[in-house]
Amino acid sequence: MKRAVDIDGRMSGIVWSGDGEVSWEYATADDDYEGRASVHRIEDGVYSILIGGAVFEARVEEGAVTVGGNRYAVRLRDPREWAPGANGVGGQGHTEVKAPMPGKVIRVLVEVGAEVEAGQGIAVVEAMKMQNEMRAARPGVVSAIRVATGDAVAAGQVLAVID
């Protein structure tokens, strides 16, 4: 099972588990560091994380993880699910569709001037070897496309604007 994870808005990635194994691919918000970690359950709520030869103990509780005495807010979500307002605000006015994590634009699905419905695909971004379709949070008209196929994008970078 795969889950997207955001940690204090500074690190994001994909966590997956199966057959008793848990792995984590991650990248920092400023794109300074990315990699893969192995995660092993020690007991309920306590995990050992192996990153590049270093081992860390992580204590997990609802909405947070503590590593080395530092507590971080954690949010898990299913990367395949679309939630209204996830990439912008619903309702009237200006809405920006943003990249949730660093990646590469694989496809732009609309053009400037196109009318879009809530939930309609705007662009496909590949991050952590997974393709994620960024969708419109509300109906409107695409007033700007700020990326092109092949562009590298940062977490939070605006992909398109809907008015």
Side-chain angles (χ1 to χ4, degrees), residues 55-78:
V55 178
F56 301 90
E57 181 180 281
R59 296 193 173 272
V60 180
E61 55 193 79
E62 186 68 32
V65 64
T66 303
V67 179
N70 297 309
R71 184 179 166 94
Y72 303 97
V74 174
R75 184 172 63 103
L76 286 174
R77 57 190 160 72
D78 186 333

Side-chain angles (χ1 to χ4, degrees), residues 13-99:
I14 301 292
V15 175
W16 66 94
S17 59
D19 299 326
E21 291 293 315
V22 178
S23 294
W24 175 37
E25 285 191 10
Y26 58 89
T28 57
D30 54 12
D31 238 359
D32 281 345
Y33 193 74
E34 62 181 63
R36 189 170 183 167
S38 294
V39 181
H40 300 281
R41 182 179 170 272
I42 297 172
E43 60 186 57
D44 284 344
V46 181
Y47 296 83
S48 175
I49 303 173
L50 176 62
I51 301 176
V55 178
F56 301 90
E57 181 180 281
R59 296 193 173 272
V60 180
E61 55 193 79
E62 186 68 32
V65 64
T66 303
V67 179
N70 297 309
R71 184 179 166 94
Y72 303 97
V74 174
R75 184 172 63 103
L76 286 174
R77 57 190 160 72
D78 186 333
R80 298 167 298 182
E81 290 179 0
W82 172 76
N87 290 321
V89 294
Q92 303 292 325
H94 177 85
T95 299
E96 296 177 335
V97 177
K98 299 179 180 181

Side-chain angles (χ1 to χ4, degrees), residues 5-13 24 26 65 72-75:
V5 62
D6 298 315
I7 301 174
D8 266 358
R10 295 183 292 189
M11 185 175 284
S12 58
W24 175 37
Y26 58 89
V65 64
Y72 303 97
V74 174
R75 184 172 63 103

